[in-house]
Amino acid sequence: MAATGGVGKPIAHVRRDAEGNWAEPQGLEEHIKGVATCAEHFSLTFGNGDWGRVAGLWHDLGKYQPAFQEYIRKSSGYENDAADEGGPGRVDHSVVGALWAAERFADYSPEIGRALGYLIAGHHAGLPDWSHEIGIGGALGDRLKDRSNLVDALSATPPDALLKIDSPITSPCGRAPSLENDDIMRESMHLWIRMLFSCLVDADFLDTEGYMDPRRTLTRGAEMKGLLEHKRQFDDYMAKKTAKAQQTPVNIVRAKILAECRSHAEWEPGMFSLTVPTGGGKTLSSMAFALEHAIKKGKRRIIVAIPYTSIIEQTAKQYRDIFGDDAVLEHHSNFDPDKETEHSRLASENWDVPIIVTTNVQLFESLFASRTSACRKLHSLVNSVIILDEAQMLPPGYLQPIVSVLKGLTEMFGASVVLCTATQPVLSGKIESGKALLKGFAPGSVRELMTDPSGLAKTLKRVELRRHPKGDEAVSWEEIAGELATLHQVICIVNTRKDCRTLYDLLPEGAIHLSALMCPEHRSEVISGGKGIKARLARNGPLRVVSTQLVEAGVDIDFPVVYRALAGLDSMAQAAGRCNREGKLNNLGKLGQTIIFRPPKEAPSGLLRKGQDAGSEILRCFPKDVAELNPEVFKRYFELFFRKVNSFDAKGIMRLLSGPDIDELKIQFRTAASRFSLIENAGQKAVIVWYERAASEQHRALSSADLIAQLEKEGPDRGLVRALQRFAVNVPVHAIDTLKSDGSIRELRGMDGLYAQNVAKLYDPVFGLRLEGPNLSALDFIA
């Protein structure tokens, strides 16, 4: 049975109802106007509603082509609607609106047509490059040379009310060009176009979803509380927490930090730093600032970005305990298929909740992305408060584009950004490293929320950081294991997963292993479960833990002794933050002990090695300042470390996005996106492992294997994808290839580039995912 809707009435989408019959198609003009209204609403938040409206009205002009209408009437559902760049058998509809914009404004302002062209031509396949790059494809400059699709669409006589509309007249973010802001506007034009693109694709997805799945649309934003209500929840939580807390010296200082954050929330929006020693309560204090600041300055939502996927769950859980599950989105997995489908796009996150906890990878790679599903959420950053937790973890090779985009967010899109850490990096002014130059934030533009960070460090001194008796001499793992075995409670943090496994194998029975090869659900149980680390610490039972650096931020565990393999000073200081965290030893007239040792093998070459070398030099030259963890010593460390960095824009991102052709809006969006990868040795994929604990309230009774089966049967939806994050392990591509070739993992049906465990014993109850393959015995081969 063909889709109905009447001959001559152009349609946008078709679907089947619950009984499998064709429902009334969605009219094309209805869809176009719905998208235009929504895109205008989104882009009004930064003063460019007229741009959103025009992009929405023209984004699907190509669907007026007779060939497209014939194609969609013969299609078996909206999955086949994802025509993108005119591949074999496809009708290229997305280029038509771009061609019309270029033609319409050719004489008046070619740049207007070009800006709209990026949005419209990319609204399915993603923002294109202007010029062709080998291996990238889809260059806008090339696609605008062929008018045939536009001629076909115009032959169907689309309504003049859609075609003959006025040009957008507002300037980017409503800013009039001037000597003062011209540089930031030029540098941020790619961000402005990406924000408009975000408005368009989110509007398109939402309108499509409204037709395809009205029930899902009704659940978006249901019973969503405002930030004012969340502030009330937060205040109630803190009042109860304070009433129960003992008046220890540490808690007294935490209360002062909280009060100072709240008192400075009235400062004008922009860049802030929050320099608080580890264990000083910055997770809650930064949220207090964000809530107060958002309410006083009219901000819309709060985004908390954390460096590691492996530590995000604790922060998200703490916020959910305060604000409720529906108010907090935990978004971190790289659970995105290689090839997007309409299903995967509609299931992608648009951050339409008040509080988001995410990772640096998810945040910054989205800010430089070209794909629709990654860009969809970006307009939610407008007029928001962004907390960058552990800001020292921002990768040096990408610092210039990151600093640039943070300037753009604060100066053009009304965001406030908080650089939150105990070990503040030096990011203001000009920083030189040989030929490399970092153009940081303007001197004085980053305002510190604490009046006296150095005084705080002295008041909160709970640990002594010192070198191992062997000093610069390497210490064998056998020696370290012997020393750990003599201690009642100790954690040893090492630089690599291999070192972690080696040391664990040398420890007495009952030791605990932690690494990022364990899925988040597994790690949470090991840290916070009834028999986990926190419970054993609370019972004062014997406990020896060996971990990679995943515990160095966002994990509030408290050991009397910490061993740390030599690393960057920031990592060593973060390790010290797991030592005597609550100051219990201070009450006994003692300090916690953090011992720094040189491991048998140096840190891997690259930034880890450079950090280790700079940390070793600072340890030798400023032992007293290091022992005191004086904030000033971290400035010396980062100045030394940055001098060892080869480039602050290692992949040439700035030239691709704001190079010499930026005045003509010739931007290489897709090439820049392909190069911007915060994880070294780019190319990690998510593997969903078999683990039996449930992931969420909604999926409480389901194991990961059940969720995998549901995903393959029903396709992705936001709740299911969120649940599966808890069972995902990120794996390098070379390991993926090996595991796939021997059948240990398989690609998920309908989800190109996403994988699931396929054989038993591939996931170890101690070590997590076995990259070397399943741990099989002879008995496993007996039928």
Side-chain angles (χ1 to χ4, degrees):
M1 178 180 176
T4 61
V7 176
K9 177 185 177 182
I11 60 179
H13 300 105
V14 293
R15 66 176 174 90
R16 296 183 187 273
D17 60 25
E19 287 73 41
N21 301 314
W22 287 107
E24 183 70 18
Q26 183 185 33
L28 179 54
E29 190 170 348
E30 172 195 355
H31 171 65
I32 284 175
K33 289 180 177 179
V35 172
T37 298
C38 189
E40 180 180 21
H41 170 71
F42 288 153
S43 52
L44 269 173
T45 60
F46 51 95
N48 294 123
D50 52 349
W51 286 85
R53 178 176 174 273
V54 173
L57 289 174
W58 289 354
H59 84 286
D60 267 355
L61 285 181
K63 289 187 177 180
Y64 279 98
Q65 295 175 87
F68 186 91
Q69 289 299 311
E70 180 182 1
Y71 159 73
I72 196 171
R73 281 173 164 80
K74 291 180 178 178
S75 71
S76 60
Y78 78 105
E79 180 73 25
N80 288 329
D81 173 41
D84 47 19
E85 292 175 355
R90 297 290 191 184
V91 180
D92 187 355
H93 82 273
S94 60
V95 75
V96 171
L99 285 162
W100 179 246
E103 190 166 295
R104 178 86 168 150
F105 302 124
D107 296 329
Y108 172 62
S109 175
E111 289 75 28
I112 291 178
R114 195 164 292 165
L116 290 167
Y118 285 117
L119 315 179
I120 297 167
H123 80 272
H124 274 286
L127 283 167
D129 287 340
W130 174 256
S131 304
H132 176 71
E133 290 275 349
I134 296 174
I136 300 294
L140 181 61
D142 294 338
R143 294 178 70 195
L144 293 180
K145 294 175 183 177
D146 183 356
R147 294 184 71 254
S148 58
N149 292 102
L150 176 60
V151 171
D152 287 347
L154 294 178
S155 72
T157 60
D160 282 351
L162 298 182
L163 290 176
K164 297 179 180 180
I165 56 178
D166 292 335
S167 163
I169 60 173
T170 58
S171 61
C173 300
R175 291 163 63 100
S178 69
L179 291 177
E180 181 180 329
N181 64 29
D182 189 56
D183 284 347
I184 191 64
M185 283 184 65
R186 286 165 53 86
E187 199 171 298
S188 300
M189 284 303 292
H190 73 93
L191 180 61
W192 176 67
I193 291 174
R194 212 183 306 269
M195 284 292 187
L196 288 171
F197 182 66
S198 169
C199 296
L200 174 63
V201 296
D202 194 23
D204 189 22
F205 294 171
L206 289 172
D207 190 82
T208 301
E209 181 184 81
Y211 168 74
M212 298 304 305
D213 191 353
R215 290 173 300 176
R216 181 185 296 178
T217 297
L218 290 174
T219 66
R220 288 184 181 271
E223 299 181 7
M224 195 67 70
K225 298 182 178 72
L227 288 177
L228 197 62
E229 172 62 16
H230 292 313
K231 181 182 179 301
R232 185 196 63 75
Q233 292 174 307
F234 183 83
D235 290 345
D236 287 348
Y237 175 88
M238 293 305 299
K240 292 174 184 176
K241 183 179 177 68
T242 302
K244 293 178 183 177
Q246 297 179 354
Q247 287 298 296
T248 64
V250 171
N251 284 334
I252 291 171
V253 174
R254 286 172 177 165
K256 291 180 179 177
I257 291 169
L258 179 67
E260 198 161 3
C261 280
R262 282 177 158 159
S263 70
H264 291 154
E266 63 185 19
W267 287 356
E268 288 303 304
M271 292 294 307
F272 303 93
S273 59
L274 176 58
T275 307
V276 173
T278 53
K282 61 179 170 28
T283 300
L284 293 174
S285 293
S286 60
M287 179 55 71
F289 169 82
L291 284 168
E292 298 265 3
H293 185 69
I295 290 166
K296 290 179 178 179
K297 300 300 176 182
K299 303 304 177 190
R300 301 189 301 158
R301 60 180 46 83
I302 296 165
I303 295 101
V304 181
I306 295 174
Y308 297 127
T309 299
S310 52
I311 62 175
I312 193 174
E313 52 261 26
Q314 178 174 291
T315 301
K317 182 182 183 303
Q318 185 169 22
Y319 290 148
R320 279 196 295 266
D321 288 344
I322 300 171
F323 304 115
D325 287 350
D326 292 339
V328 179
L329 169 63
E330 178 183 343
H331 187 205
H332 54 78
S333 177
N334 61 353
F335 196 66
D336 296 312
D338 285 342
K339 183 178 180 181
E340 292 187 312
T341 65
E342 202 74 7
H343 270 111
S344 68
R345 282 193 284 262
L346 293 182
S348 62
E349 298 287 3
N350 67 348
W351 288 5
D352 56 352
V353 297
I355 299 167
I356 297 101
V357 183
T358 188
T359 60
N360 289 348
V361 170
Q362 185 66 241
L363 173 64
F364 288 111
E365 291 191 5
S366 295
L367 281 163
F368 291 92
S370 64
R371 296 174 68 181
T372 56
S373 58
C375 290
R376 177 183 187 181
K377 58 183 168 288
L378 291 181
H379 69 89
S380 293
L381 295 173
V382 175
N383 212 23
S384 66
V385 183
I386 303 169
I387 300 170
L388 295 181
D389 197 16
E390 308 303 346
Q392 79 283 354
M393 296 300 299
L394 296 173
Y398 293 97
L399 270 181
Q400 191 61 74
I402 287 173
V403 167
S404 173
V405 82
L406 291 176
K407 289 179 184 176
L409 286 171
T410 55
E411 296 185 35
M412 292 188 66
F413 293 96
S416 285
V417 175
V418 184
L419 304 174
C420 188
T421 178
T423 57
Q424 283 290 351
V426 180
L427 296 177
S428 294
K430 291 185 178 180
I431 301 166
E432 297 186 55
S433 173
K435 293 183 180 179
L437 173 66
L438 173 63
K439 293 188 289 185
F441 302 110
S445 64
V446 181
R447 291 157 289 170
E448 173 59 49
L449 295 174
M450 294 293 100
T451 304
D452 183 13
S454 295
L456 276 178
K458 292 177 182 177
T459 305
L460 274 177
K461 182 174 174 59
R462 291 148 294 163
V463 60
E464 181 182 31
L465 192 149
R466 59 183 175 85
R467 301 171 78 188
H468 189 276
K470 282 199 168 184
D472 284 334
E473 183 182 344
V475 188
S476 70
W477 292 124
E478 288 78 8
E479 290 177 272
I480 294 296
E483 293 177 23
L484 299 182
T486 67
L487 297 168
H488 182 61
Q489 292 184 335
V490 62
I491 183 170
C492 182
I493 303 171
V494 298
N495 292 324
T496 68
R497 291 194 297 250
K498 183 178 180 181
D499 290 347
C500 193
R501 179 77 173 266
T502 299
L503 181 56
Y504 174 85
D505 287 339
L506 294 169
L507 290 174
E509 187 176 350
I512 289 178
H513 166 279
L514 279 172
S515 86
L517 287 178
M518 300 158 68
C519 70
E521 193 68 29
H522 187 182
R523 288 195 305 269
S524 292
E525 185 156 1
V526 169
I527 293 171
S528 303
K531 297 181 180 179
I533 292 171
K534 291 184 178 181
R536 288 168 68 175
L537 285 169
R539 291 194 297 266
N540 197 32
L543 177 61
R544 299 170 189 90
V545 179
V546 58
S547 175
T548 58
Q549 60 265 40
L550 67 87
V551 298
E552 286 182 345
V555 181
D556 57 349
I557 50 180
D558 188 357
F559 283 83
V561 181
V562 172
Y563 273 61
R564 181 55 167 103
L566 184 64
L569 183 62
D570 53 333
S571 293
M572 294 187 284
Q574 293 295 334
R578 311 313 116 191
C579 184
N580 194 25
R581 189 177 182 87
E582 297 299 323
K584 295 175 183 177
L585 293 176
N586 293 57
N587 299 334
L588 302 174
K590 301 178 182 179
L591 292 174
Q593 298 295 308
T594 296
I595 294 99
I596 307 300
F597 67 94
R598 184 177 289 276
K601 293 184 69 174
E602 299 290 328
S605 60
L607 290 173
L608 285 176
R609 179 75 60 79
K610 290 175 180 179
Q612 183 190 72
D613 292 344
S616 179
E617 188 171 339
I618 292 292
L619 270 173
R620 285 196 305 271
C621 297
F622 304 100
K624 183 178 179 181
D625 286 334
V626 170
E628 299 286 336
L629 295 176
N630 188 328
E632 292 301 314
V633 81
F634 296 112
K635 293 181 181 179
R636 297 191 186 103
Y637 165 74
F638 280 108
E639 287 168 354
L640 177 61
F641 174 57
F642 285 157
R643 285 202 293 270
K644 298 177 182 290
V645 171
N646 297 328
S647 173
F648 296 106
D649 184 11
K651 300 297 178 65
I653 304 297
M654 297 299 294
R655 184 172 180 83
L656 292 169
L657 298 178
S658 55
D661 294 330
I662 189 60
D663 288 336
E664 299 177 62
L665 290 190
K666 294 181 177 180
I667 303 171
Q668 298 296 90
F669 284 105
R670 204 168 290 183
T671 299
S674 70
R675 294 185 188 180
F676 193 94
S677 179
L678 292 193
I679 301 175
E680 287 295 325
N681 303 319
Q684 292 208 358
K685 300 290 184 182
V687 175
I688 310 303
V689 299
W690 295 350
Y691 194 76
E692 293 305 313
R693 281 181 62 85
S696 70
E697 293 291 332
Q698 180 182 355
H699 301 281
R700 173 159 297 201
L702 301 181
S703 68
S704 57
D706 295 326
L707 293 171
I708 291 167
Q710 185 176 334
L711 177 70
E712 292 191 304
K713 179 181 179 182
E714 301 175 7
D717 70 63
R718 296 204 303 173
L720 186 56
V721 169
R722 288 176 187 178
L724 280 165
Q725 287 184 134
R726 301 290 296 165
F727 302 105
V729 176
N730 293 333
V731 177
V733 168
H734 66 83
I736 288 283
D737 294 339
T738 301
L739 292 171
K740 188 168 63 171
S741 67
D742 65 18
S744 295
I745 62 174
R746 64 180 178 82
E747 198 163 27
L748 290 169
R749 290 192 299 274
M751 301 287 285
D752 292 349
L754 298 178
Y755 299 88
Q757 182 176 340
N758 197 42
V759 296
K761 298 190 176 181
L762 182 66
Y763 193 82
D764 188 277
V766 173
F767 303 115
L769 185 66
R770 296 174 57 87
L771 296 184
E772 65 272 29
N775 183 24
L776 302 176
S777 67
L779 293 176
D780 293 306
F781 294 94
I782 298 175

